[in-house]
Amino acid sequence: MLASQYKKYLRTMDQHDLDIVLHWRNHPTIRDFMLTQHKISQDEHRNWFQKASISPDIKLLIFEIDSIPLGFLNFTKKAESFVADWGFYVSPDAPKGTGTQLGHAGLEYGFAELHLHKLCGQALSYNLNSIRFHKKLGFLQEGLLREQYCDGQQYHDILHFGFLASEWELNQ
């Protein structure tokens, strides 16, 4: 599949997606790797969506194949720049390889649609799947915040990743 075809798999998240995104987000295979690990309530989720969906600096997206929602992506642009953070997860029931497809669609969206100069991501040090995922897509590790996050019992490092538009263009 050519990179230019990935954008047909992304659409803007709307209120009809709230239940499925909350279900994914609260699933232990996702929640245990987030910086906010408590179980998100319906009200908390709805309030987050209402605020985020009207912000011009935040893009909330659903990744789908054949009109079946399989993942979530968000981009948060830094104030007055072409640099953004991203976050993502796939349905716990998604077929193998969905994450890679979501990642490529997200990169194209970030660089071709949002015209970002740089995309940034982060992962808890024990989230080996996310670390491998970022590196597989072409991100470089740019930083390490030592013992930055406490899960209530112990502290964990946070790894920071970056990917420049010029690097993405070289891989196209």
Side-chain angles (χ1 to χ4, degrees), residues 9 42 49 61 71 75 87-88 105 134 145:
Y9 297 110
Q42 285 277 351
F49 178 74
L61 305 167
F75 292 82
F88 51 84
H134 279 91
L145 298 176

Side-chain angles (χ1 to χ4, degrees), residues 46 54 77 79 95 103 113 124 128 159 168 172:
R46 193 173 299 109
I54 62 172
K77 286 181 75 176
E113 301 292 325
L124 291 165
L128 301 179
L159 286 75
W168 178 74
Q172 294 306 297

Side-chain angles (χ1 to χ4, degrees), residues 27-156:
H27 195 278
T29 60
I30 294 170
R31 187 179 73 235
D32 291 350
F33 295 98
M34 304 295 279
L35 294 177
T36 304
Q37 294 187 352
H38 70 275
K39 194 165 188 175
I40 307 289
S41 71
Q42 285 277 351
D43 286 341
E44 182 180 359
H45 187 59
R46 193 173 299 109
N47 290 336
W48 160 80
F49 178 74
Q50 288 174 348
K51 290 176 186 171
S53 64
I54 62 172
S55 172
D57 296 325
I58 299 175
K59 303 294 182 197
L60 305 175
L61 305 167
I62 298 296
F63 176 78
E64 58 186 16
I65 296 175
D66 296 329
S67 301
I68 299 170
L70 294 172
F72 168 79
L73 278 154
N74 73 72
F75 292 82
T76 304
K77 286 181 75 176
K78 308 282 187 188
E80 311 221 6
S81 77
F82 288 91
V83 175
D85 290 325
W86 80 337
F88 51 84
Y89 39 87
V90 297
S91 164
D93 303 321
K96 187 169 176 58
T98 300
T100 300
Q101 292 178 2
L102 175 143
H104 287 295
L107 291 175
E108 179 168 358
Y109 183 85
F111 293 123
E113 301 292 325
L114 297 179
H115 306 289
L116 295 176
H117 170 72
K118 182 178 183 181
L119 187 57
C120 303
Q122 55 183 283
L124 291 165
S125 58
Y126 61 85
N127 190 347
L128 301 179
N129 287 336
S130 183
I131 293 166
R132 280 191 296 267
F133 177 75
H134 279 91
K135 291 179 178 180
K136 177 180 178 179
L137 290 176
F139 283 80
L140 298 178
Q141 183 179 332
E142 296 184 337
L144 174 73
L145 298 176
R146 298 177 307 131
E147 298 185 9
Q148 181 75 14
Y149 172 76
C150 183
D151 64 10
Q153 296 181 354
Q154 70 181 60
Y155 284 90
H156 302 278

